[in-house]
Amino acid sequence: MLNTKDKRRHFFKRLALFLAILGPGIITGSVDNDAGGITTYSVAGAIYGYGLIWTLIPSFIVLLIIQEMNARMGIVTGKGLSDLIRENAGVKITFFIFVGLLLSNIGNTTTEFAGVAGSMEIFGVTKYVSVPVVAFLVWILVVKGTYQVAERIFLIFSASLLTYVVSALMSKPEWGEIGSAIIRPRVEMNTQSLAMVIALVGTTIAPWMQFYMQASVIEKGLKMKNYKFTLVDIVIGCFVTIVVAFFIMVACGATLFPNGVQINEARDAALALKPLAGRLASQVFAFGLFIASVFSATILPLATSFYVCEAFGFEAGIDKKWEDAKEFYTLYTGILLVSAIIILIPKAPLIAISIWSQVLNGILLPVVLISMMLLVNNKRIMGAYVNRPVQNFIGWSAVCILIALSAALLIMPAFNR
Amino acid sequence: MTSLTTFYLSGLIGNEAFGMDGDAIGVIKDLLIKSLPTEQDDSSRQLVNGIKLKTGKEIRCYSFSTFRVVKAREKLNVTCTGLLGLSVNEINNGLFLVENVLDKQIVDLNGRKLVRVNDVRLVTVSQGTFAIAVDIGIEGLLRRIGISRPIKQFLSLFKISIPAKFILWEDVQAIDYSNLNIKLSKSYAKLQTLHPSDLADILEDMGKKSSMSVFSALDEEKAADVLEELETHAQIHIVESLPVTKVADVFEKMPADEVADILDELEDEKAEILLNEMDNESSQEVRELLEYSDNSVGSLMTTDFLSFKPEITVDEIIKELREKRPEPDELYNMFVTESNDELIGTFNLRDLVLAQPGVTVNQIMKTEPVFLFDDQKLDDIAEIISKYNLLAVPVVDSSNQLHGMVVVDDVVEDLINKRRTRKR
């Protein structure tokens, strides 16, 4: 029999356990709302108002299913996704995936620095100051810090993404309209609106996330025994992603859409908010963008160099010394440097870069997802923890839908011309 | 014949093998080598004794003894004088180069780390075909993708060469034996030569399945040393996955304080099961240590120490040490106690070596020794150790009875952990 004191001790022990496990899902979810994501959500809100908010619901389900599989694979095998792909799919597919990921993530990191530059300009800081300073700080954090420090800082970062809730509330949205827009989704069957839907789903489910999720689960040393806590962590992470996306779309849908303001970048959204919702709303929006950009600018290059090294057998990890993991640190520094420099070039083709990295992501996503589905159903690898039929059904349908969407995204520009 | 043909596994796989009459007999899928080197074998190379061929839709293994690899104008020719079957035993005791080595992680015994295999280097001499090295470099990677040559030519314009990186076969320890039912302890024999700390680092980098099979293959002494060096979550993974009896056996070989630290992290029920499985003497020591709170000297001390009666002579002590062969830590500092375990003095190896054989220990010991109380705070230890330049400090209870000692290694480890937590 447990007495009250033991019970309380028991409760605190469980709470401590939960807090220790917390992290991978929430962080992955937050990195997901990066500068690129914020841009896409803002543009969708500005053009379609509340019209496309419904897409967040299927995105949530697919995101959840995919991340759950990643976590399960990480816990059961103790191996990274790139390890598993290399060992089971061979060197050629691995090479294709990782060269693609490397290029697309250099593009993505560039977008993050564009976010840093754009948001700081709203506070009157020129990009020639903000970008080098942020790049340097991010570099130092990873090279000189430890993973634990970085992770704690990132968790605090995650919380500040909630500034978008404030931003949205300050724009006084029509809740009734939002409700009916979600309940009765409308799809306009034209290329532009379809492209927007694809971009929304695509920005929520990016290929590199799968690698990151699995790696951080392993880094944490999580166990199958505490799987329900991990599951809670993933659900919270996906939920936060979707909620933040929701409020960004609401903020832009409530202010920019009725006034017919057209925007191309997240920075434009922040600027446009100023006359419509006030200076403070604009700055809050910009601050959120800044945090999200820095956050993702840290994790993207790190994750990319980590899984590239993992796949090709170089030593990797921020707990290693520079001499021991030369390839890893060189790659990390290189990605950061190249991305930061691109932003600093006057009149760099930023929009082209972001479109091309999206296209690359679109090609890679199906390859990565199919590899994942095959791995997670492999009894030799997963043992008793292979997918159940329900998971396979949702998993494969998600893969098919995403492939169809990606294919559409790739083919559509041809028809537009 | 003095012909010597060197080639890469990647260049051979997928080629067709030809029979005596020049007809193709099948596509080469894999090569088999013996996984256990016998005493007579040269450890620097491993004989290829089997080949996996795909003929039509059928895949079968044959003996390699009738096959021959010849290089003609940069092209590999594989000829066969007749197909001989392989026994099930030979297949089960073998290691497939494609299935178990290529693209997999192996242990580089020389560099003491895990590396990924990009290719395997083979050689054909008159005695047969041998695996001689694995390629882990970038060149091997490019060769596998099929772009090695153009890139090399391109780079040679700038006088840059891609460095090749090989690990000689004697330094290679394959770890992926997943589909074999052979005696693992023998297949991992090469790993026994590694230092426990290096082995622990390697185990941490492995997947869960491989780390378990490698760990279970270690003998108990080595397993105990390695378990001690692992990080907490790896320790727990191993303790929870291995059979209870095996864990208990390993625990009995470990210092009680290390066992107590691991048990502290486990669930109470599991810890109790393990303690019951251990022999009484070992589990009793661990139980006593588990009583101490996390922040007290008692939780860090070891109960493996040497103490002697005051009237024993130096000669007798040395004789006893030779018989007992204690761990190095235990020799940092030795203690003199009365019959009721009351601590009255300390001495070290130097005192012992310099003294005349017939002298009794109470004449060479330092009286009024520096000591710690078992319920004292951990923070006090480092100060005392550095102030008195000690390698080990005795730990006593309130009635001055000796219970254990705190060793400098553990103090350093504790300080490092603390700094890490503070950084967090």
Side-chain angles (χ1 to χ4, degrees), chain B residues 256-275:
Chain B
D257 57 324
E258 300 282 349
V259 177
D261 287 348
I262 298 178
L263 291 181
D264 241 357
E265 300 287 332
L266 293 177
E267 276 165 16
D268 298 348
E269 280 169 45
K270 179 84 185 179
E272 193 53 41
I273 294 173
L274 284 166
L275 281 169

Side-chain angles (χ1 to χ4, degrees), chain A residues 150-173:
Chain A
E151 202 178 69
R152 295 296 144 100
I153 296 176
F154 292 152
L155 271 176
I156 299 167
F157 275 9
S158 310
S160 64
L161 278 176
L162 295 174
T163 49
Y164 285 110
V165 180
V166 181
S167 221
L169 295 180
M170 287 167 83
S171 62
K172 298 188 191 70

Side-chain angles (χ1 to χ4, degrees), chain B residues 35 62 87 114 152 180 217 387:
Chain B
S35 63
Y62 303 99
S87 70
L114 276 183
K152 264 200 214 155
L180 302 178
K387 183 174 173 191

